[in-house]
Amino acid sequence: MSITRSLLADLRRAVGPQGYLEQAADIEPFLVDHRKLYRGATPLVLRPESTDQVSAIMRMCNEARVGVVPVGGNTGYCGGATPSEDGSQIVLSLARMRRIRAIDPLNYTMIAEAGCVLAEVQAAAASVDRLFPMSLGSEGSCQLGGNLSTNAGGTAVLRYGMMRDLILGLEVVLPDGRVLDNLKPLRKDNTGYDLRNLFIGAEGTLGVITAAACKLFSRPASNVTAFVGLTDPQRAVSLLSRLRTFTGDAVSTFELIPRTALELVLEYIPNTANPLDQGHDWYVLLEIGMGRQAESMREAIEAELAAAMEQGEISDAALAASESQREMFWRLRETIPEAQRHIGASIKHDVSVTTSELPRFIVEASQLVRALSPKGRIVSYGHLGDGNLHFNISRPIDSDDESFLRLAPNINRAVHDLIARYGGSISAEHGIGRLKREELVRYEPPVAIEVMRAIKQALDPNGIMNPGKVL
Amino acid sequence: MSITRSLLADLRRAVGPQGYLEQAADIEPFLVDHRKLYRGATPLVLRPESTDQVSAIMRMCNEARVGVVPVGGNTGYCGGATPSEDGSQIVLSLARMRRIRAIDPLNYTMIAEAGCVLAEVQAAAASVDRLFPMSLGSEGSCQLGGNLSTNAGGTAVLRYGMMRDLILGLEVVLPDGRVLDNLKPLRKDNTGYDLRNLFIGAEGTLGVITAAACKLFSRPASNVTAFVGLTDPQRAVSLLSRLRTFTGDAVSTFELIPRTALELVLEYIPNTANPLDQGHDWYVLLEIGMGRQAESMREAIEAELAAAMEQGEISDAALAASESQREMFWRLRETIPEAQRHIGASIKHDVSVTTSELPRFIVEASQLVRALSPKGRIVSYGHLGDGNLHFNISRPIDSDDESFLRLAPNINRAVHDLIARYGGSISAEHGIGRLKREELVRYEPPVAIEVMRAIKQALDPNGIMNPGKVL
């Protein structure tokens, strides 16, 4: 159904004068997704300040059968928060709901609203000497609600899990405006079905998450951050197992970086240097966080890396000697996407396989890509500890963006078909949004799609929650 | 609908001669629950050996509208696996599906079938130098499928989480026989809604779990196990925070034990002794598992406990000096329920609140109970690290079981009402089953119940999955 003037007036009234945007310039940032893949239209961006206001909005839109698109920091990669082109959907920004409602260091929990920027949540935890471990590139602008709706991943999943693993309870406004209050900060609660995990990762298609009870952890008293050179990914897999065992699963980051990626970073990003004396075919950035008991940990891990070197598992390693060096090590990893943008268009894949099969997957996927684009520059890096690879191909030096991107459908198909043969995932951490809807239907088992549709129908019978996304 | 002879014949044919029980003596163990609260009836216990057979069974029962009650090791506390009294339901035992289908130490994962006994799953992990951390009293007889369906807890939740946190994927037979194959052992997979968490903890009311992809961990190279005496639970909460911080969250067990419970164990359980020189009002059994790097950990933790003693946080502490001493420490905790049985009937509660509020809850709940049963012996022990308390009351010495148990409804109501005021859970780890259905409706927010019913209706429209349980 279309949006009537009277509905618009009711919605404006529900949120008050501070609660909406309708001038073209104000609305503009909500019309385009982070990767500029889509441009939508909307007559109204709502900015409610309370759960009650969200509830009122949903009730009205449900009665009018008008679609609602929830948006957080708009940093997603799959267009999941962009309205449709026809202007028939309302955008719902949670940005004004940014209170930390409660924080309990002895219970290791915090209750925060969906509009909190991730960095604020991290800072609130740190202020009581606790850690909220979710960490990713856009943490300065992405919002907790978006992290929840996309089940965000990032660089600490190996030890602390995805967003799903960090949540004890949720407050959700259902499509018809009812409020589902499951915000208890309890570690154990076996009373009926688990509802929170339906909404986590549903990309706003089942309801609007307005607040969450989050798990906190102890802040590591010290971190060992190492940059390691090695000859191949198989050795990286062995090193991961060695260090997980050695440290009692205290490895929080284990990122694989190929020679091409480091060279791009060193060429295009200022203030970067290879921490190792020579170049290597592959690198690993790893971090191990430990408590105060482990004052001798640094030496012990240094000795263990020396043993790995003697046994030929790794070729070289450097340990960050200061906080600034640690930051530089991290910059080498985090600026890879930026460095890649300097060399033209790229075709990206966010895939996962088992950690043990990841080395073989890289070899086979690279062969497939070379058959389709012999000079395409493969930049395959990512979270080896979780089996999550960002398998990207930048255009050849002697080509142009447009003709290279014409290869995308064939390259995507080849890589995703290979993923299917490995029993892997075609979207490890970026979700489905609008971009991968057809891929989802192609690769997900039909029974799973049927069950998802049954759940969507049960919770959102009028189909007003983020229409056109995921399913 | 009732069970026809032709349906029984079809079901027997589907599973073959080894696949069913129908003699009264063979069926008997499936008719009574672990706590002997319920006695049901059934004409047939099916024991399929494959997912295909389970699928065939469900298809037939769905067409005939006949209820199916899945059962694992039958060790549940809430009657969730006992058929109804009228003999109208079929029992489905997964005991013959007990293969470990795959184990991948480098990926830290295992795929196991639902009928595997928990101890077998632990042993399979240990055989490749890995840890499957789920651990609970009945691990020698409970089955993985039951652990999954009840979202089991146990003594390592503090560090490793509930069953839900240990699972990457599931194979589920839906009520109409369709097989939902989401068995990928991937740590990251954001393709559509999270379906596995619907079935985990649903107590067999949404489908039959036939296999699971489980997370594994590094086996700790060494454990420090300590038995600590202290004056009150508040100090235990402080000690937990101190040790989590000190060890970088390596505390895996933190069990609170009151003086009454230890005295019962020492009186009734052979080969037990107080590891400390004196009696204390409260004790904590704690365990910290660490990797090979931490050879000096024992001394460091000993020093930290000495510091806690100097600061008045704890009164005394003993560290297990050998594996046999460690086992004895554990026996002191694990035999509490057995010791309690020696002193007559008890009224039990499996509740949780935040860890920080748990000390105050114990005080208030004890006051309420004393008003209703001045001489009832309160034995409140449990997993303090998760806020999960087994708040039990044994009958007074000068009373009898029957007249004491007449107090149960009033005492339950008082304790659960207090839990509601604390925002806690009336079933932290034992689930709902048949026992707590009315309590669930009383204490769960109505919107949550409505959403659960909508999901039940969407997935099991004929209501044949474990009828009469949970909802």
Side-chain angles (χ1 to χ4, degrees):
Chain A
M1 243 156 91
S2 64
I3 306 175
T4 61
R5 257 195 288 178
S6 112
L7 175 65
L8 289 176
D10 287 346
L11 289 169
R12 280 191 297 253
R13 218 174 359 255
V15 292
Q18 306 298 317
Y20 62 90
L21 307 170
E22 52 181 359
Q23 301 302 317
D26 296 334
I27 285 182
E28 175 62 24
F30 296 92
L31 301 182
V32 181
D33 70 298
H34 183 64
R35 287 175 67 189
K36 300 188 174 36
L37 298 173
Y38 303 104
R39 163 169 280 277
T42 187
L44 189 65
V45 175
L46 292 166
R47 303 174 74 243
E49 62 175 359
S50 69
T51 306
D52 283 349
Q53 288 186 357
V54 176
S55 169
I57 291 166
M58 293 312 306
R59 206 166 44 242
M60 291 174 194
C61 289
N62 189 51
E63 277 165 18
R65 307 288 190 268
V66 164
V68 175
V69 182
V71 60
N74 198 19
T75 60
Y77 276 27
C78 298
T82 307
S84 61
E85 287 83 353
D86 61 5
S88 69
Q89 300 169 349
I90 299 287
V91 170
L92 175 61
S93 162
L94 279 297
R96 285 172 77 214
M97 290 188 62
R98 62 195 294 176
R99 279 189 312 140
I100 305 286
R101 291 193 194 164
I103 184 159
D104 182 348
L106 286 177
N107 195 46
Y108 283 78
T109 54
M110 176 198 305
I111 297 179
E113 292 184 342
C116 291
V117 170
L118 177 54
E120 294 169 353
V121 176
Q122 296 166 342
S127 75
V128 294
D129 201 28
R130 293 290 181 254
L131 173 74
F132 184 66
M134 178 55 53
S135 175
L136 38 82
S138 58
E139 61 197 27
S141 55
C142 66
Q143 293 171 16
L144 188 64
N147 299 150
L148 287 159
S149 290
T150 59
N151 187 28
T155 51
V157 172
L158 174 58
R159 177 159 184 193
Y160 298 103
M162 309 275 285
M163 199 66 188
R164 191 182 300 294
D165 300 300
L166 304 178
I167 298 304
L168 297 168
L170 289 182
E171 180 185 85
V172 179
V173 178
L174 297 175
D176 60 8
R178 281 177 299 165
V179 178
L180 179 63
D181 176 2
N182 265 328
L183 210 42
K184 295 177 180 176
L186 302 175
R187 282 194 161 60
K188 284 186 167 178
D189 182 13
N190 273 346
T191 50
Y193 302 161
D194 178 71
L195 302 178
R196 74 200 145 156
N197 281 302
L198 268 186
F199 300 97
I200 299 172
E203 304 184 39
T205 63
L206 296 177
V208 183
I209 298 173
T210 46
C214 308
K215 280 188 207 170
L216 303 179
F217 294 82
S218 298
R219 286 177 79 192
S222 59
N223 284 296
V224 172
T225 312
F227 202 81
V228 175
L230 15 72
T231 54
D232 56 85
Q234 188 61 53
R235 285 184 162 79
V237 171
S238 304
L239 180 67
L240 173 64
S241 172
R242 172 195 283 263
L243 291 178
R244 282 192 66 167
T245 304
F246 187 69
T247 63
D249 285 332
V251 181
S252 55
T253 293
F254 199 92
E255 299 285 306
L256 183 69
I257 301 172
R259 180 191 284 268
T260 47
L262 186 68
E263 287 177 355
L264 284 176
V265 166
L266 297 178
E267 183 172 351
Y268 291 105
I269 309 292
N271 303 316
T272 55
N274 185 349
L276 307 177
D277 293 335
Q278 299 175 21
H280 298 269
D281 283 347
W282 294 89
Y283 303 90
V284 163
L285 170 72
L286 66 93
E287 194 157 277
I288 299 167
M290 304 276 284
R292 277 185 292 120
Q293 97 291 0
E295 277 162 19
S296 59
M297 177 183 63
R298 197 185 156 80
E299 291 71 39
I301 290 171
E302 225 164 352
E304 189 69 8
L305 287 172
M309 201 147 89
E310 258 175 44
Q311 291 161 30
E313 195 167 275
I314 67 175
S315 309
D316 198 1
L319 267 62
S322 64
E323 189 56 30
S324 71
Q325 208 173 13
R326 178 183 173 219
E327 279 164 21
M328 201 276 277
F329 283 20
W330 271 97
R331 195 156 60 241
L332 297 174
R333 163 64 183 82
E334 286 181 338
T335 57
I336 293 174
E338 186 186 333
Q340 232 193 325
R341 278 196 289 273
H342 283 273
I343 59 167
S346 64
I347 297 169
K348 293 175 192 287
H349 309 86
D350 167 41
V351 296
S352 69
V353 295
T354 64
T355 301
S356 40
E357 293 193 311
L358 190 133
R360 192 157 55 87
F361 174 82
I362 293 177
V363 172
E364 289 191 33
S366 301
Q367 283 166 352
L368 290 175
V369 165
R370 275 193 212 101
L372 295 165
S373 170
K375 292 177 170 175
R377 287 168 288 179
I378 296 172
V379 185
S380 67
Y381 65 98
H383 320 293
L384 182 129
D386 324 309
N388 180 194
L389 201 66
H390 298 302
F391 186 78
N392 300 339
I393 306 104
S394 285
R395 71 157 163 76
I397 295 178
D398 55 7
S399 172
D400 60 280
D401 284 1
E402 214 174 313
S403 50
F404 176 65
L405 287 177
R406 255 179 259 128
L407 301 174
N410 284 343
I411 290 180
N412 288 166
R413 183 62 56 240
V415 172
H416 287 172
D417 280 355
L418 185 65
I419 277 291
R421 285 202 293 281
Y422 272 77
S425 171
I426 59 154
S427 187
E429 60 175 11
H430 295 162
I432 300 299
R434 189 163 155 185
L435 183 65
K436 293 189 184 168
R437 282 177 72 192
E438 286 165 25
E439 296 294 271
L440 181 72
V441 172
R442 185 181 187 101
Y443 292 106
E444 194 74 5
V447 175
I449 300 283
E450 289 161 26
V451 174
M452 290 179 205
R453 290 201 170 122
I455 289 165
K456 170 76 174 173
Q457 177 64 26
L459 296 189
D460 181 22
N462 297 325
I464 64 156
M465 280 310 319
N466 212 3
K469 313 292 164 51
V470 185
L471 291 175
Chain B
M1 242 156 92
S2 63
I3 305 174
T4 62
R5 258 196 286 179
S6 110
L7 174 65
L8 289 176
D10 288 346
L11 289 169
R12 280 191 298 253
R13 215 173 0 254
V15 291
Q18 306 299 316
Y20 62 90
L21 307 170
E22 52 181 359
Q23 301 302 315
D26 296 334
I27 286 183
E28 175 63 22
F30 295 93
L31 301 183
V32 181
D33 70 298
H34 184 63
R35 287 175 67 190
K36 300 188 171 38
L37 299 173
Y38 302 103
R39 163 170 279 278
T42 188
L44 189 65
V45 174
L46 292 166
R47 302 173 76 243
E49 61 175 359
S50 68
T51 306
D52 282 350
Q53 288 186 357
V54 176
S55 169
I57 291 166
M58 292 313 306
R59 206 165 46 241
M60 290 175 195
C61 290
N62 190 51
E63 277 164 18
R65 307 286 190 270
V66 164
V68 176
V69 182
V71 60
N74 199 19
T75 61
Y77 276 27
C78 298
T82 307
S84 60
E85 287 81 355
D86 61 3
S88 69
Q89 301 170 349
I90 299 286
V91 170
L92 175 61
S93 162
L94 280 296
R96 284 173 78 214
M97 290 188 63
R98 63 194 296 174
R99 279 189 311 140
I100 306 285
R101 292 193 194 164
I103 185 159
D104 182 347
L106 286 178
N107 195 46
Y108 282 78
T109 54
M110 176 198 305
I111 296 179
E113 292 184 341
C116 291
V117 170
L118 176 55
E120 294 169 353
V121 177
Q122 295 166 342
S127 74
V128 294
D129 201 28
R130 293 291 182 254
L131 173 75
F132 184 65
M134 179 55 53
S135 175
L136 38 82
S138 58
E139 61 198 28
S141 55
C142 66
Q143 294 171 16
L144 187 65
N147 298 150
L148 287 159
S149 290
T150 58
N151 187 28
T155 51
V157 172
L158 175 58
R159 175 158 185 194
Y160 298 103
M162 308 275 285
M163 199 66 190
R164 192 182 298 296
D165 300 300
L166 304 178
I167 298 304
L168 297 169
L170 289 183
E171 180 184 84
V172 179
V173 178
L174 298 175
D176 60 7
R178 283 176 298 164
V179 178
L180 179 64
D181 175 3
N182 265 327
L183 211 42
K184 295 178 180 176
L186 302 175
R187 281 193 162 58
K188 283 186 167 178
D189 181 13
N190 273 345
T191 50
Y193 302 160
D194 178 71
L195 302 178
R196 76 200 143 155
N197 281 302
L198 268 187
F199 299 98
I200 299 172
E203 303 184 37
T205 64
L206 295 177
V208 183
I209 298 173
T210 46
C214 309
K215 282 188 206 170
L216 303 178
F217 294 82
S218 298
R219 285 178 81 193
S222 60
N223 284 297
V224 171
T225 311
F227 202 80
V228 175
L230 14 70
T231 54
D232 56 86
Q234 188 61 53
R235 286 184 162 80
V237 172
S238 304
L239 180 66
L240 172 64
S241 172
R242 172 194 283 262
L243 291 178
R244 282 192 66 166
T245 305
F246 187 69
T247 62
D249 285 333
V251 181
S252 55
T253 292
F254 199 91
E255 299 285 307
L256 184 70
I257 301 172
R259 180 191 284 268
T260 48
L262 185 68
E263 287 177 355
L264 284 176
V265 166
L266 297 178
E267 183 172 350
Y268 291 104
I269 309 292
N271 303 317
T272 54
N274 184 350
L276 307 178
D277 294 334
Q278 299 174 21
H280 298 268
D281 283 346
W282 295 89
Y283 303 90
V284 163
L285 170 72
L286 66 92
E287 194 157 276
I288 299 167
M290 305 277 284
R292 276 187 291 119
Q293 97 292 0
E295 278 163 18
S296 59
M297 176 183 63
R298 196 184 157 80
E299 290 71 39
I301 290 170
E302 224 163 354
E304 188 70 7
L305 287 172
M309 200 147 90
E310 258 174 45
Q311 290 162 32
E313 195 167 273
I314 67 175
S315 309
D316 199 1
L319 267 62
S322 64
E323 190 56 28
S324 70
Q325 208 172 15
R326 179 184 173 218
E327 279 164 21
M328 201 275 278
F329 283 19
W330 271 96
R331 195 156 60 241
L332 296 176
R333 163 65 183 83
E334 285 180 338
T335 56
I336 294 174
E338 186 186 334
Q340 233 192 324
R341 277 197 288 273
H342 283 274
I343 59 166
S346 65
I347 298 168
K348 294 175 191 284
H349 308 86
D350 166 42
V351 297
S352 69
V353 295
T354 64
T355 301
S356 41
E357 292 193 310
L358 189 133
R360 192 158 56 86
F361 174 82
I362 293 176
V363 172
E364 290 191 34
S366 301
Q367 284 167 352
L368 289 175
V369 165
R370 275 193 213 102
L372 295 164
S373 170
K375 292 177 170 173
R377 287 168 287 178
I378 296 172
V379 184
S380 67
Y381 64 98
H383 320 293
L384 182 129
D386 325 308
N388 179 192
L389 200 67
H390 298 302
F391 187 78
N392 301 340
I393 306 105
S394 285
R395 72 157 162 78
I397 294 178
D398 56 5
S399 174
D400 60 281
D401 284 3
E402 213 174 314
S403 50
F404 176 64
L405 288 176
R406 255 179 258 129
L407 301 175
N410 284 344
I411 290 181
N412 288 166
R413 184 62 59 240
V415 172
H416 287 172
D417 280 356
L418 185 64
I419 277 291
R421 286 203 293 282
Y422 273 77
S425 171
I426 59 155
S427 187
E429 60 177 11
H430 296 162
I432 300 300
R434 190 164 154 183
L435 182 65
K436 293 189 185 168
R437 282 176 72 192
E438 286 166 26
E439 296 294 271
L440 181 71
V441 172
R442 185 181 186 101
Y443 292 107
E444 194 74 5
V447 175
I449 300 284
E450 288 161 27
V451 175
M452 289 180 205
R453 291 203 170 120
I455 288 166
K456 171 75 175 174
Q457 176 64 27
L459 297 189
D460 181 21
N462 297 326
I464 64 157
M465 280 308 321
N466 211 3
K469 313 293 164 50
V470 185
L471 290 175

